[in-house]
């Protein structure tokens, strides 16, 4: 981990653990709410709220987090800063609503994580406006899935952090992508060669433990972000059926796949065609593969929604609900408190790194 990156991260986010790689929880729409994000930040990481495409409740989430912190503060947080970030899906989220939520928030979120723009100029607009609205208190994180978009974001947006998302990631990402094992060092090399080597990189996609974190650091990252691992945390806003599916899945390259079928069936429309989502495979996917027409598949999906947790099946059969998760599922065997996950992953990674 480059010393300069580490210094800039601890300066920007002084509550983070000073002696381990930065551990963050990814913004997962509807799942990463205030309890999860605060637990991650309280443990010395940075938690991101899953604002997603609908930021209509962002003001109330920021207010809720501010209230929690006033009764139970996190040490070393600068005045005026809310020690959590906010994830925004740029193609769908309202910029004016996001800006007004930031302006009206007594404490400014430590970072806004921008993902999936319709075009790259939107990233410039969002970065500029968020910085203006927060008086430069809110840092800009941009999640990228190609070397070219990493370079473009670095060139045009002056990001404070680039999140390098590989194809193993759960949830949405680029249809055409590679795993971080080759993607991350290429981004590192290109940015360095082009004069953007000062930007810290956070690796995302398939990391669920200290081994993956240490590997990411060796590949060029200063920190990591996990989504799937935190699906199995006590603070995640997630149904039991979904969480059990994550716990029971193994062999993630086979049990998960990138697809658009789940978005089509549940009506999550509007994603640019360059994106799909990785999730645990179930009957919705296999029925389509075996020729079922979309109307019938959607009807069955809607039936499954009405069944609640049973929509994720019983005794390994009859699952139809969307179960976005990454290839790391096979390494997740228990639900843990988010703070314990952060501490364990950070300490384990540091142990591996100090040996190398
Ligand atoms: C259930 C789920 C929902 C997600 N929602 C979002 C989101 O709203 N915004 C976003 O930027 N990324 C989202 N992601 C992707 C994460 O930002 C991150 O890239 C990914 O979780 C990292 O891979 P991992 O799941 O293997 O840890 C989501 C991921 C999952 C698993």
């Amino acid at each position: 981990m480059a010393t300069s990156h580490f210094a800039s991260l601890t300066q920007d986010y002084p509550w983070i653990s000073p002696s381990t790689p930065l551990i963050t929880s990814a913004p997962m729409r509807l799942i990463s709410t205030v309890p999860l994000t605060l637990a991650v930040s309280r443990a010395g990481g940075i938690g991101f709220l899953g604002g997603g495409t609908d930021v209509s409740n962002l003001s109330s989430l920021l207010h809720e987090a501010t209230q929690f912190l006033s009764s139970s503060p996190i040490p070393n947080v600068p005045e005026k800063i809310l020690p959590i970030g906010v994830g925004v899906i740029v193609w769908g989220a309202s910029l004016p609503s996001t800006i007004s939520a930031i302006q009206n928030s007594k404490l400014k979120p430590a970072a806004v994580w921008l993902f999936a723009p319709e075009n790259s100029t939107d990233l410039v607009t969002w970065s500029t406006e968020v910085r203006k609205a927060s008086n430069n208190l809110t840092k800009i994180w941009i999640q990228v899935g190609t070397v070219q978009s990493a370079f473009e974001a670095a060139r045009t947006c002056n990001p404070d952090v680039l999140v390098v998302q590989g194809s193993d990631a759960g949830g949405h990402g680029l249809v055409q992508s590679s795993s971080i094992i080759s993607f991350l060092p290429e981004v590192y090399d290109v940015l360095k060669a082009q004069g953007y080597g000062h930007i810290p990189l956070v690796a995302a996609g398939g990391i669920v433990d200290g081994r993956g974190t240490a590997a990411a650091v060796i590949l060029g990252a200063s920190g990591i972000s996990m989504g799937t691992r935190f699906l199995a945390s006590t603070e995640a806003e997630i149904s039991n059926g979904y969480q059990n599916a994550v716990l029971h899945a193994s062999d993630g390259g086979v049990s998960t796949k990138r697809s658009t079928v789940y978005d089509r069936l549940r009506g999550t429309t509007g994603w640019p065609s360059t994106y799909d989502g990785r999730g645990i495979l179930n009957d919705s996917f296999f029925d389509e593969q075996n020729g079922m027409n979309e109307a019938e598949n959607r009807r069955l999906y809607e039936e499954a929604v009405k069944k609640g947790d049973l929509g994720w099946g019983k005794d390994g059969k009859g699952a139809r609900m969307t179960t976005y998760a990454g290839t790391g599922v096979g390494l997740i065997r228990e639900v843990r408190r988010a703070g314990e996950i952060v501490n364990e992953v950070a300490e384990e990674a540091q142990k591996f790194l100090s040996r190398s």
Side-chain angles (χ1 to χ4, degrees), residues 26-29 89 113 115 143 165 169-171 205-206 226-228 242 324:
M28 296 183 282
R29 198 176 68 92
I89 294 175
W113 163 316
F115 179 46
Q143 179 165 243
Q165 186 199 39
M226 298 183 288
T228 301
Y242 190 162
Y324 281 140

Side-chain angles (χ1 to χ4, degrees), residues 40-303:
V40 169
S41 292
R42 200 174 287 286
I46 305 178
F48 279 82
L49 290 170
T53 49
D54 179 4
V55 289
S56 55
N57 66 344
L58 184 55
S59 268
S60 67
L61 290 175
L62 296 176
H63 181 68
E64 185 188 335
T66 305
Q67 293 291 101
F68 261 111
L69 283 167
S70 67
S71 55
S72 177
I74 294 176
N76 301 326
V77 174
E79 211 191 336
K80 298 190 189 156
I81 293 290
L82 193 56
I84 58 173
V86 175
V88 169
I89 294 175
V90 171
W91 66 258
S94 156
L95 177 59
S97 303
T98 307
I99 293 306
S100 109
I102 292 172
Q103 278 169 339
N104 294 334
S105 183
K106 190 172 133 204
L107 303 178
K108 306 302 175 203
V112 165
W113 163 316
L114 304 173
F115 179 46
E118 196 82 59
N119 58 66
S120 56
T121 55
D122 292 345
L123 289 176
V124 180
T125 311
W126 275 77
S127 307
T128 309
E129 295 299 319
V130 167
R131 285 184 168 126
K132 215 194 298 171
S134 69
N135 228 347
N136 282 322
L137 291 173
T138 299
K139 303 295 174 195
I140 300 296
W141 292 36
I142 299 179
Q143 179 165 243
V144 293
T146 64
V147 176
Q148 179 61 25
S149 59
F151 169 64
E152 272 307 305
R155 192 178 67 79
T156 58
C157 301
N158 188 24
D160 298 286
V161 165
L162 281 173
V163 182
V164 178
Q165 186 199 39
S167 56
D168 289 325
H172 287 93
L174 289 175
V175 174
Q176 211 171 340
S177 48
S178 75
S179 83
I180 52 172
I181 192 92
S182 55
F183 176 38
L184 178 57
E186 190 177 348
V187 170
Y188 182 92
D189 287 352
V190 167
L191 291 185
K192 195 165 171 208
Q194 299 293 332
Y196 300 108
H198 58 282
I199 302 171
L201 304 179
V202 164
I207 301 170
V208 295
D209 59 20
R211 293 171 292 181
T213 302
V217 170
I218 288 169
L219 293 170
S222 304
I224 58 111
S225 197
M226 298 183 288
T228 301
R229 182 62 191 93
F230 287 108
L231 293 175
S233 66
T234 42
E235 293 87 346
E237 189 92 26
I238 187 171
S239 57
N240 288 333
Y242 190 162
Q243 202 166 55
N244 284 333
V246 172
L247 292 176
H248 289 121
S250 57
D251 212 350
V254 180
S255 61
T256 74
K257 190 171 168 65
R258 309 198 67 89
S259 170
T260 57
V261 66
Y262 299 100
D263 279 346
R264 282 184 279 114
L265 296 184
R266 68 180 184 172
T268 317
T269 54
W271 277 91
S273 60
T274 43
Y275 288 83
D276 58 10
R278 182 179 289 281
I280 298 173
L281 296 178
N282 59 29
D283 288 354
S284 295
F285 176 86
F286 294 118
D287 282 346
E288 177 170 86
Q289 198 177 48
N290 292 330
M292 182 182 280
N293 69 56
E294 195 157 307
E296 175 60 2
N297 207 358
R298 186 173 302 120
R299 188 189 68 74
L300 291 170
Y301 191 90
E302 282 159 10
E303 290 294 310

